[in-house]
Amino acid sequence: LGPVSFNVKAGETLAIVGDNSSGKSLLAKLLVGLENPKSGSVYLNGIELNKSNISVRCHDIKMIFQNSNESLNPGLTLGSILDEPLKLNTDLDQQQRSDLIERTLRQVGLMAEHQFFYRHMLSDGQRQRVALARALILSPKVIVADEPFAGLDPSVRSQAVNLLMKLQRDLGLGFIFISHNLGIVRHISDKIIILKNGKVVESGKTEVIFNWPKDEYTKKLIDSHQKLLSRQQN
């Protein structure tokens, strides 16, 4: 993977697009610290993130995984799942943690009572909202989402996209969105990076890339998207 260089501002969405094995998920893992780069650096507000300040990365950069069902422990209630990062990363007492859990559940469109539910009691859309609540519970500055809407039916996906955009506006989050879905990418992103075999083939403002792609690989991706749209409309 590389060379890859970009920046994301508060309230801004960067989309990372490419075929399978292009390096998208590896880049996500590097950003959140699940993989260590052999070279290069990640900075947050001008501070390099490394092993000496790993708690900063754990607190300020959160990830939403592709399969929300598999990322939720089936043996724990939602309240326990959300309580764990608060126990590990804050000095809040039990009542303060409980209040924050309820507020966060409501923030993502769930009810306070959902804290007593288990994973199997939820729909796919609700599970995705829990994954979002878990990412938001520590008030991060950046969220990295790796295909967060894959597997959701179109109506639920639309609700999830709109919720995410509202939360980003309300909270001023920097959002790094990894997806194959160019329709969603165009709808929510400000900037876009096109990856192929671990290399950046094109990057820039989303509308510029969609309207005036320069690289042949980018043109093929956008052309395939336009053909799919045309078939769906017909």
Side-chain angles (χ1 to χ4, degrees):
L1 180 68
V4 178
S5 181
F6 60 86
N7 63 74
V8 180
K9 299 176 182 177
E12 189 174 57
T13 297
L14 169 71
I16 300 171
V17 174
D19 287 330
N20 291 333
S21 302
S22 61
K24 303 188 304 297
S25 292
L26 175 57
L27 180 55
K29 291 176 181 177
L30 288 165
L31 293 173
V32 298
L34 293 175
E35 296 281 355
N36 294 315
K38 293 179 180 177
S39 63
S41 302
V42 177
Y43 292 86
L44 182 65
N45 291 335
I47 299 172
E48 183 177 357
L49 300 178
N50 50 45
K51 292 180 180 179
S52 68
N53 57 9
I54 192 169
S55 61
V56 174
R57 176 176 278 175
C58 291
H59 190 283
D60 287 344
I61 305 179
K62 306 304 291 185
M63 187 165 184
I64 302 175
F65 294 93
Q66 180 173 347
N67 193 328
S68 59
N69 188 42
E70 295 302 320
S71 70
L72 301 176
N73 189 327
L76 296 178
T77 63
L78 304 187
S80 297
I81 290 172
L82 296 177
D83 197 30
E84 192 68 19
L86 297 178
K87 287 180 179 178
L88 293 172
N89 295 282
T90 75
D91 296 322
L92 300 177
D93 61 32
Q94 184 175 352
Q95 185 59 51
Q96 290 171 322
R97 296 198 309 272
S98 179
D99 290 344
L100 180 53
I101 288 169
E102 290 188 12
R103 287 200 305 273
T104 306
L105 285 171
R106 291 194 181 99
Q107 197 174 36
V108 299
L110 296 172
M111 298 182 296
E113 291 76 15
H114 277 111
Q115 66 184 297
F116 305 113
F117 284 37
Y118 290 87
R119 186 184 78 181
H120 70 276
M121 302 166 70
L122 303 173
S123 67
D124 288 341
Q126 288 173 326
R127 289 170 185 160
Q128 195 61 48
R129 289 171 187 260
V130 174
L132 180 55
R134 184 174 56 184
L136 291 173
I137 196 78
L138 292 175
S139 299
K141 294 179 173 63
V142 179
I143 285 184
V144 181
D146 187 3
E147 294 281 4
F149 310 121
L152 298 180
D153 66 56
S155 62
V156 175
R157 187 189 308 138
S158 178
Q159 293 174 12
V161 169
N162 290 334
L163 172 64
L164 202 58
M165 292 179 70
K166 179 182 184 302
L167 289 170
Q168 185 187 35
R169 287 194 302 269
D170 293 346
L171 303 174
L173 294 166
F175 187 42
I176 297 172
F177 178 65
I178 297 168
S179 181
H180 286 95
N181 191 318
L182 293 188
I184 296 177
V185 164
R186 189 169 192 176
H187 181 55
I188 73 171
S189 67
D190 302 293
K191 300 188 297 189
I192 187 170
I193 286 176
I194 310 293
L195 281 181
K196 180 183 180 184
N197 298 326
K199 303 282 191 282
V200 176
V201 297
E202 195 162 354
S203 65
K205 292 183 177 180
T206 300
E207 281 307 307
V208 173
I209 297 293
F210 270 86
N211 287 312
W212 300 284
K214 295 179 181 178
D215 189 86
E216 284 302 316
Y217 178 69
T218 308
K219 291 177 182 177
K220 288 179 182 178
L221 287 177
I222 293 174
D223 186 51
S224 296
H225 168 63
Q226 298 293 356
K227 288 179 180 176
L228 178 61
L229 276 182
S230 180
R231 287 198 299 269
Q232 290 173 344
Q233 292 169 354
N234 295 331

